Amino acid sequence: PILNQTLRCCSQISFLNYGFNNTFLLAPSLTYKMNERLTFQLDAEYFNTNNTRIAYNTFQTASGIKGSSAIPVDYRTALFNEDLDAKTEASKFFAEANYKLSDNWTSSTVFSFVGEDVDYSNQYYLAWTGPTQVARSVSRFGPIYTNYTNVQQNFNGKFRTGAIGHNLLVGANYRYYRSRFTYGSTGVLDVIDVSNPFTAIARQAVDTTIKESPFPVADQEVISAYASDVVQWTDRLSTMLSLRIDHFNRKSMPTAEGYTQTALAPKFGVVYRVLKNRLSVFGNYMSGFQNAQPALQPNGTQLVLDPVQAFQSEGGVKMELMNKKVSLTASYYHIVIDNATRVDTAGYTLQDGRQVSKGLEFELIANPVRGLHLVAGYVYNDNRIVKASDAAIEGNKAVGAPENVANFWASYTFHGKLNGFGLGAGANYVDRIYSFQDNVFVVPSYTVLDASVFYQQPKWRLGFKLNNISNEKYWDAWSVPQAPRNMAVNLTLRF
């Protein structure tokens, strides 16, 4: 048996004038080889955190605020007190048995259970009603209990039919989801003018106002079966044929009837090696659906969502140079999403239309010399709403979808006398995005530079990272300020 154990503890102070994050993670792992044919893999994870949440912003037309940088509050100033915190813990268990049936066939049986418990979570909302006027409210989630149970069985084998090679995967999966939770909202606590002195809302004001009650959530289960065959026609040409069937069952509950759906998801792929071990072209097509959890609306009601369906086609080229030390991939994709969800300017979730996302992706991974690792990527994404119940937004950009994203990271690990010592540096660029489907409110683009120094040994790793070196001011899709220049020290122990 081989036992590994990871322990991480983190305590973080917010860059705002409130906030904290205290996190504890324990992740033991056991590998047991019973004999030459049978191996067991056992993993567990315990996660516990106590932290403050972020404030969600919405903007009425009368506010005249059309961008995150125009919000009339200092970048570091919060409108809520840090005693409005959240406490969460999660336990995860994974077990896998791998059995070698023969030289060419293997069996894999997987069981997993994830239990998440939210003792309570206070979340804050800011609705800007004028140039400097904002309505403040708080919602409290919890206690919440959520668990996911998953069982999966796979058989994988290699065989030939004449001169044609096959790599066949056949499997089945069962997944059960269950959740129970309590929810409450204060409604609008007050409306303040931030150009005048104001006081952050504390927990006492929320506790005396909020009304909490159990909120129904439907149990859900998915039964799946799938088969995939990678066919090697020649030493240059291979194809993949795959078919998956999913039966989704959402149980009935007092606020909504049950819902079932059975869907077939075919997938086809082809790879042709133009130059062996150096240049390949590929293409694929696939369809599928994703079960969406009910959406909680700002007024406390719940919108039960239908599964989101997607259809994707992709084509591209992959190059491998310098004896596979450099890998370059470029591709074009086209994705159609039906039953797409969106959030309107009042913060309500709607499921009423179709989105189309198309664009280009480039990725570079290189290890040109020993110890040097380079990763670079670029994505161009044109993601638009092409159909909606509101014709005025058709053709608009999808919410939270930047048109251009780029990243680069380089690291070098020394050898010899400095064995285990390393340096790293990189940058991330994200284009501007729209926070709402009317494409009025803009979150500006940003570039963040980071650097790190680390020392790594088989049983432990000590790292120091300097984030946002240029002290860039930037926001997420909800106009929440992100951390300015900061330092992080990380110690990881493996037992």
Side-chain angles (χ1 to χ4, degrees), residues 255-278:
T255 57
E257 295 182 358
Y259 179 91
T260 62
Q261 173 175 301
T262 301
L264 289 173
K267 182 176 181 180
F268 172 77
V270 58
V271 176
Y272 183 74
R273 296 170 180 84
V274 181
L275 299 173
K276 281 187 177 181
N277 300 322
R278 285 184 291 172

Side-chain angles (χ1 to χ4, degrees), residues 57-193:
N57 289 270
T58 59
F59 303 87
Q60 296 182 9
T61 303
S63 72
I65 301 173
K66 296 183 179 181
S68 300
S69 58
I71 296 175
V73 178
D74 180 76
Y75 192 78
R76 296 175 180 265
T77 299
L79 280 68
F80 298 89
N81 197 289
E82 67 178 21
D83 62 358
L84 287 166
D85 60 343
K87 287 187 176 182
T88 302
E89 67 176 6
S91 299
K92 303 178 182 180
F93 303 94
F94 306 90
E96 181 176 2
N98 289 294
Y99 186 74
K100 185 177 180 181
L101 299 170
S102 68
D103 290 341
N104 295 322
W105 286 89
T106 59
S107 168
S108 175
T109 306
V110 180
F111 170 82
S112 66
F113 174 83
V114 178
E116 297 176 343
D117 292 280
V118 178
D119 188 8
Y120 59 85
S121 177
N122 292 289
Q123 299 190 12
Y124 334 126
Y125 300 89
L126 298 171
W128 294 89
T129 58
T132 58
Q133 290 78 40
V134 62
R136 298 187 290 183
S137 61
V138 175
S139 293
R140 179 171 296 163
F141 297 81
I144 302 175
Y145 170 74
T146 303
N147 69 44
Y148 306 83
T149 303
N150 191 81
V151 181
Q152 186 178 72
Q153 174 62 48
N154 293 319
F155 296 98
N156 187 274
K158 295 180 180 181
F159 61 95
R160 304 187 71 85
T161 54
I164 300 174
H166 299 265
N167 191 335
L168 180 66
L169 170 66
V170 178
N173 187 82
Y174 175 78
R175 181 175 183 268
Y176 194 89
Y177 163 86
R178 185 177 185 183
S179 180
R180 300 290 182 268
F181 77 92
T182 301
Y183 167 80
S185 177
T186 62
V188 175
L189 286 168
D190 62 14
V191 179
I192 61 172
D193 188 329

Side-chain angles (χ1 to χ4, degrees), residues 121-331:
S121 177
N122 292 289
Q123 299 190 12
Y124 334 126
Y125 300 89
L126 298 171
W128 294 89
T129 58
T132 58
Q133 290 78 40
V134 62
R136 298 187 290 183
S137 61
V138 175
S139 293
R140 179 171 296 163
F141 297 81
I144 302 175
Y145 170 74
T146 303
N147 69 44
Y148 306 83
T149 303
N150 191 81
V151 181
Q152 186 178 72
Q153 174 62 48
N154 293 319
F155 296 98
N156 187 274
K158 295 180 180 181
F159 61 95
R160 304 187 71 85
T161 54
I164 300 174
H166 299 265
N167 191 335
L168 180 66
L169 170 66
V170 178
N173 187 82
Y174 175 78
R175 181 175 183 268
Y176 194 89
Y177 163 86
R178 185 177 185 183
S179 180
R180 300 290 182 268
F181 77 92
T182 301
Y183 167 80
S185 177
T186 62
V188 175
L189 286 168
D190 62 14
V191 179
I192 61 172
D193 188 329
V194 296
S195 63
N196 299 320
F198 62 86
T199 302
I201 290 178
R203 182 163 184 165
Q204 182 178 2
V206 174
D207 289 343
T208 57
T209 306
I210 200 165
K211 296 179 180 180
E212 301 173 81
S213 59
F215 210 87
V217 179
D219 292 359
Q220 300 176 19
E221 64 178 356
V222 182
I223 302 174
S224 308
Y226 44 87
S228 176
D229 187 12
V230 177
V231 183
Q232 190 74 44
W233 299 94
T234 70
D235 60 350
R236 293 179 181 267
L237 176 64
S238 61
T239 60
M240 185 197 67
L241 297 173
S242 175
L243 182 64
R244 180 184 180 99
I245 181 171
D246 291 278
H247 178 73
F248 169 65
N249 180 18
R250 184 175 62 217
K251 309 293 186 178
S252 60
M253 58 181 183
T255 57
E257 295 182 358
Y259 179 91
T260 62
Q261 173 175 301
T262 301
L264 289 173
K267 182 176 181 180
F268 172 77
V270 58
V271 176
Y272 183 74
R273 296 170 180 84
V274 181
L275 299 173
K276 281 187 177 181
N277 300 322
R278 285 184 291 172
L279 176 64
S280 300
V281 293
F282 64 88
N284 63 68
Y285 169 83
M286 66 181 297
S287 68
F289 76 93
Q290 182 180 48
N291 304 314
Q293 301 300 327
L296 190 64
Q297 307 288 37
N299 63 359
T301 62
Q302 182 176 235
L303 175 64
V304 178
L305 299 171
D306 293 333
V308 179
Q309 296 179 316
F311 308 89
Q312 174 182 302
S313 55
E314 183 182 18
V317 59
K318 182 173 183 178
M319 298 178 62
E320 292 183 328
L321 308 172
M322 297 176 61
N323 197 25
K324 295 188 176 182
K325 292 181 178 180
V326 177
S327 174
L328 175 64
T329 304
S331 63

Side-chain angles (χ1 to χ4, degrees), residues 14-18 53-57 68-69 71 73-79 126 443 468 472-484:
S14 173
F15 68 92
L16 301 170
N17 62 353
Y18 94 123
R53 309 298 292 175
I54 60 175
Y56 295 95
N57 289 270
S68 300
S69 58
I71 296 175
V73 178
D74 180 76
Y75 192 78
R76 296 175 180 265
T77 299
L79 280 68
L126 298 171
V443 178
N468 196 359
E472 178 92 349
K473 287 187 177 181
Y474 66 108
W475 297 260
D476 68 7
W478 289 97
S479 296
V480 177
Q482 301 301 292

